[in-house]
Amino acid sequence: MNNWIRNILALIVVLALSACTTSKSTISNSVNLSKYEYASIINNDTYHIPAELMEYEIMLYDAVENSHLKLISDARIFELSPSQQEKLLLVKYGVNVKEEETIVTVNFIDYMSGRPVASCRGAYSTLGLAKTSHDIKGAIKRASKQISDTFHK
């Protein structure tokens, strides 16, 4: 009977801790997100996932593409007209893997001003009960939902 009670208490603690893992979006008060039509994901040495994690980078690209934004290669930004560049967001992302939770953050920056306009955060945790890859996929899915909710308002 004591083991049964201990197991129930352990389950309650796990559920409470995983409930603390929140996904959210932060949007600038002074920006109209509906004016943006294009997004370019910054893909350089600072914002790049190692080759062995390429499947996660594909998921991040898909998450941005599933918003109403049209993806533009960073090498082709200068082919856009000035009026199109005014509707362009640069996208930076980060993945932070910890034992207690995995957080994926996708930041959107106005191309013309360099000002951050939105940040979408996806957090996921199995508290070490599953592989890290499971947590990363979960965090990306939650970030994807935040991106979709943010840009489909």
Side-chain angles (χ1 to χ4, degrees):
M1 185 72 168
N2 264 348
N3 270 347
W4 189 76
I5 292 173
R6 247 186 255 143
N7 288 340
I8 297 270
L9 287 174
L11 179 62
I12 290 171
V13 168
V14 166
L15 290 175
L17 288 174
S18 64
C20 295
T21 302
T22 58
S23 300
K24 65 178 184 172
S25 292
T26 304
I27 303 166
S28 172
N29 291 329
S30 62
V31 173
N32 177 7
L33 292 180
S34 64
K35 83 171 194 170
Y36 296 102
E37 295 178 17
Y38 307 99
S40 181
I41 298 176
I42 296 175
N43 195 1
N44 59 28
D45 292 337
T46 305
Y47 298 97
H48 190 72
I49 291 179
E52 63 270 14
L53 301 176
M54 183 59 76
E55 70 177 291
Y56 305 118
E57 190 168 43
I58 292 169
M59 291 174 71
L60 286 167
Y61 272 71
D62 286 347
V64 173
E65 197 168 48
N66 287 334
S67 69
H68 80 278
L69 301 170
K70 180 180 177 186
L71 276 178
I72 303 292
S73 166
D74 55 352
R76 300 190 72 186
I77 289 174
F78 298 108
E79 295 176 17
L80 296 173
S81 70
S83 65
Q84 289 173 316
Q85 288 178 355
E86 288 179 8
K87 299 173 185 178
L88 174 65
L89 289 171
L90 298 178
V91 181
K92 296 180 181 179
Y93 57 83
V95 178
N96 187 358
V97 178
K98 296 181 182 175
E99 189 173 318
E100 61 273 5
E101 73 179 344
T102 297
I103 299 171
V104 172
T105 306
V106 183
N107 299 308
F108 297 86
I109 300 156
D110 182 270
Y111 176 74
M112 297 302 280
S113 69
R115 183 185 195 287
V117 297
S119 179
C120 300
R121 174 185 189 264
Y124 192 83
S125 178
T126 58
L127 297 172
L129 299 175
K131 294 180 180 181
T132 302
S133 63
H134 182 73
D135 285 0
I136 293 172
K137 286 179 184 177
I140 290 173
K141 284 181 184 176
R142 289 189 176 173
S144 180
K145 178 166 180 7
Q146 292 300 315
I147 292 167
S148 180
D149 292 349
T150 299
F151 287 97
H152 281 109
K153 289 185 178 181

